Amino acid sequence: PKQPRGRVGVTRRETRDRRPVLGVTMGDAAGIGPEVVAKGLADPAIRRLCRPIVIGSLPVMRDTVRWLRLPLRVTAISGHGEAVARHDLAVLDPMASGLGRYPIGKANRVCGEASVAFIRTAVGLAQDRCIRAIVTAPINKEAINLAGHRYPGHTEMLGALTKRRDVGMMIVGGPLKIMFVTTHVAIRELPAAITVNKIWKAIRLAHTALHDYFGIRDPRIAVAALNPHAGEGGLFGDEEQKKILPAVRRALAAGVRVTHPLPADTLFGKALRGEFDGVVAMFHDQGLIPLKMVAFGTCVNLTVGLPFIRTSVDHGTAYDIAGKGKADAGSFREALMLAVRLARRDKPRRAGESRVLAHS
């Protein structure tokens, strides 16, 4: 991939522009990523908040804007500082040549390789402080693996590229902020997958996000039990006693306001009513079912533990509707707005650098 050149073409007017520069990765070209990016960035309200740079395929973004008939002019840039008009869609294309032919709506190696190149370029720009945050459109796990990149998803890839081991996924939707101990794990494998260290890591990352990103001085964190009725004293399982409670006690000793494991069937209602600032869920559906009940289509994925801000949509590539103009850009707009809010904090400490918690 071509490396973006330095800051070029900056005008005096641009230096006074206080809107944060966001790097937007296009995602998988065979999915709905280009469509939601184009629709979201065509919104004048979004463009009043930030200066977006799309890191993706220039021909794909031009074609997408054209067939959607959006009021945007796609402009190629070679550096993050190039000045463009507010009705322009700035695209930084790191590919030495176009993507060539590929099937729409199907996982393929070409789009998998390209989506990884877009992410790598964005990470480089973020690490050099050329952009204030990264907002990612969806990639496809099968496609990136077909291209030879063995990552389960975005979060793990970003952790590897930044050499950060302590990273985790928090989903934000409506009043809920949920950190996950595990994500894409089969239900039958959950008891073995959940460990004291993983739970303590999730609690620590939840505290870091709530304190450092959202400015909550002393956040209240609820921890979900794995079993019905929190195990009912071991009658329905002993993970609460053997794994969750030891992690909770470690967090309490570190000064974190955290609950003992609470039954999930009542915990999320309490969180929805504002009794807790954040929740630690044990597995994927335990947290995402209540989230999508209250904020479907507007949830945002926030990666905690990176040296920069990264937000993303809460959905996948949706191959079944790719290229049909049916994709909803609601989650992408929310991801952009959250990135703007976090980037505008006066001196946001980087995730993983909380003064309150040290690694234990």
Side-chain angles (χ1 to χ4, degrees):
K2 295 183 296 184
Q3 294 302 313
R5 295 199 297 270
R7 193 169 177 79
V8 296
V10 183
T11 65
R12 282 188 66 186
R13 180 176 182 180
E14 186 191 1
T15 62
R16 296 194 298 267
D17 193 335
R18 300 299 183 186
R19 293 175 299 152
V21 179
L22 305 185
V24 176
T25 58
M26 189 188 79
D28 189 316
I32 63 171
E35 182 180 341
V36 298
V37 167
K39 286 179 175 178
L41 296 183
D43 186 343
I46 293 294
R47 301 177 71 81
R48 284 194 292 269
L49 295 175
C50 63
R51 287 181 287 161
I53 295 172
V54 177
I55 302 162
S57 167
L58 181 66
V60 170
M61 290 309 304
R62 277 182 173 156
D63 289 345
T64 302
V65 167
R66 185 181 300 115
W67 67 263
L68 288 173
R69 299 182 179 179
L70 296 174
L72 292 171
R73 181 177 62 191
V74 178
T75 302
I77 62 172
S78 58
H80 67 279
E82 292 188 41
V84 296
R86 288 207 178 191
H87 63 276
D88 284 2
L89 183 68
V91 179
L92 195 160
D93 190 343
M95 305 299 290
S97 58
L99 299 186
R101 296 177 63 85
Y102 60 88
I104 295 293
K106 184 178 179 181
N108 64 88
R109 184 193 60 79
V110 170
C111 294
E113 185 63 53
S115 62
V116 173
F118 304 152
I119 295 163
R120 283 178 171 165
T121 301
V123 168
L125 290 170
Q127 289 181 317
D128 290 341
R129 305 295 177 90
C130 299
I131 54 178
R132 297 285 299 279
I134 297 175
V135 182
T136 59
I139 61 174
N140 182 272
K141 301 173 186 65
E142 181 184 356
I144 65 173
N145 276 266
L146 286 171
H149 303 284
R150 307 302 179 192
Y151 300 111
H154 255 127
T155 302
E156 295 82 4
M157 186 191 309
L158 290 165
L161 291 174
T162 56
K163 296 180 171 58
R164 294 294 181 100
R165 296 180 61 185
D166 251 9
V167 295
M169 179 178 75
M170 173 176 273
I171 305 291
V172 179
L176 298 177
K177 298 176 180 67
I178 302 179
M179 179 65 67
F180 294 81
V181 175
T182 65
T183 51
H184 302 114
V185 176
I187 293 294
R188 67 177 178 273
E189 298 171 2
L190 274 174
I194 292 171
T195 66
V196 174
N197 285 337
K198 285 182 181 179
I199 298 166
W200 165 229
K201 171 185 169 182
I203 295 172
R204 186 170 65 245
L205 288 175
H207 185 279
T208 295
L210 296 168
H211 182 275
D212 293 0
Y213 281 149
F214 295 100
I216 303 172
R217 184 180 297 272
D218 191 15
R220 304 159 298 169
I221 300 172
V223 177
L226 175 65
N227 297 298
H229 304 288
E232 198 76 78
L235 185 62
F236 304 135
D238 59 7
E239 284 78 15
E240 286 72 22
Q241 300 296 322
K242 291 186 175 181
K243 298 183 178 184
I244 304 178
L245 269 175
V248 165
R249 292 189 183 110
R250 191 183 297 182
L252 289 169
V256 183
R257 291 178 66 189
V258 63
T259 68
H260 283 205
L262 299 176
D265 61 351
T266 56
L267 180 158
F268 289 101
K270 293 177 179 180
L272 195 59
R273 293 190 292 271
E275 295 184 30
F276 306 112
D277 300 301
V279 174
V280 171
M282 292 297 118
F283 59 97
H284 184 276
D285 284 15
Q286 185 183 57
L288 283 174
I289 289 172
L291 262 170
K292 293 191 177 184
M293 285 284 288
V294 301
F296 184 78
T298 59
C299 295
V300 177
N301 181 336
L302 170 64
T303 304
V304 185
L306 297 173
F308 47 78
I309 296 162
R310 180 261 177 166
T311 63
S312 186
V313 295
D314 72 335
H315 56 74
T317 48
Y319 283 151
D320 58 321
I321 60 170
K324 299 179 181 179
K326 297 180 180 180
D328 186 347
S331 179
F332 177 70
R333 292 190 193 94
E334 292 293 328
L336 285 164
M337 289 188 288
L338 178 59
V340 169
R341 290 201 303 273
L342 298 180
R344 281 180 170 174
R345 290 180 59 81
D346 290 336
K347 290 183 180 180
R349 274 186 303 282
R350 296 305 169 196
E353 298 176 359
S354 172
R355 290 185 301 216
V356 180
L357 286 179
H359 288 240
S360 301

